[in-house]
Amino acid sequence: MRALNHILVTGGAGFIGANFIRYLFQKTDFSGKIVNLDKLTYAGNPENLTDIDEAWGGKRYFFEKADICDFDAVSEILKRHEIDTLVHFAAESHVDRSIYGPGEFVSTNIQGTFTLLEAVRAFWKDRQDVLFHHVSTDEVYGSLGDEGFFFEDTPYDPRSPYSASKASSDHLVMAYWHTYGIPVTLSNCSNNYGPYQFPEKLIPLMILNIKDGKPLPVYGDGRNIRDWLFVDDHNSAVWTILKGGRPGETYNVGGENEWENIRLVHTLCEKTAATLGRDPEACKGLITYVKDRPGHDRRYAINCDKIKGELGWRQTVSFETGLDTTIAWYLANTAWIDRVRSGAYRQWIDRNYGAR
Ligand code: NAD
Ligand code: TYD
């Protein structure tokens, strides 16, 4: 029987992690405590959980500013909060950044995951009621042609420094199961979208550029394909695995929702223009084809029959509803956008939470 009572969420101030914490408090029967361990890089924003902190701070919700590469800090937090479950979201997550500066990806994604594994190995010893859940990406499987899908046993073939660092961390996690018997589970998920995503990723970047009348940069011929999943559906999959996933197993999670980038950008133009009362064709006129991303994977498509069949997970948010929710959120939350993009706000975080 799994303890599942004191959960440490790494990267809980980022996009998926913050939505995961809110999901647990608002949409599940979880009644224990959550500790959010985050270094607050450019992508981490404590403001993403202000409502949760106001409702549960100091009672069932705790924030700890720390680096997952810091063994002593992680070990002290595990001990002080008597952690029995670790959900590992913290990572450098943007492919473009990994091309221009791979070092941070190697450090956080590989060394950081290794450090967490070492810390739980020392703290949990041979307990079997604990769980280390590692959140990973479908990008570890490489690139598909026109046909076929990624399965859990598809050989790893990462192409970017980001996906290579995630692949490496996946292997370390599985090695700790096989070698030391640490109970682990792993999920490899397709592209997420939704509120609180840093506006460097395709969907929020396009919505905001449409709003601001700026060029919409489409890489290459725009015909690369991604499989999109609303962030709450990813988080319900993680919660499902925490409750019932078998130790040592990988579960693929996806939207079964493939879109060519250019078709998605057209849809975002139409939907955002309709909300703003603008001419959709004028918005499409902002599309600018730019030089392709080096090593740009052509197509991702996930087969998620395993988590559906074994654990009964399902996607619940249609792309139509998910996009409408996301567009409405980015158009309404201009103060959040200005702050995550502003250098002054980063300085405020450093003053209040300590410089990195
Ligand atoms: P994000 O970039 O929005 O957030 C990452 C968080 O990790 C931030 O809060 C950041 O401050 C924190 N962090 C970074 N380095 C840290 C360190 N050294 N120590 C402690 N905290 C640190 O990322 P995201 O999109 O929310 O992705 C979360 C996880 O999900 C990642 O592991 C990513 O690989 C995986 N994933 C993402 C997607 C996607 O579409 N975004 C899809 C599949 C899997
Ligand atoms: P992104 O959101 O960066 O996610 P990932 O690279 O992890 O899949 O990009 C999604 C797709 O959109 C990818 O094929 C690259 C493309 N893209 C653009 O065409 N223009 C952009 O400005 C961005 C950020 C991405």
Side-chain angles (χ1 to χ4, degrees), residues 94-96 139 162 191 200-203 205-206 217-219 224 226 228 261 293 296-297 300:
H94 190 39
V95 174
D96 290 328
E139 305 190 23
Y162 164 67
N191 286 62
E200 62 186 351
K201 307 274 168 64
L202 181 73
I203 289 182
L205 180 84
M206 292 296 165
V218 171
Y219 299 164
N224 301 65
R226 297 292 181 265
W228 293 96
N261 290 340
R293 172 191 278 172
H296 194 177
D297 290 335
Y300 301 144

Side-chain angles (χ1 to χ4, degrees), residues 132 158 208 313:
F132 185 109
L208 295 179
W313 172 81

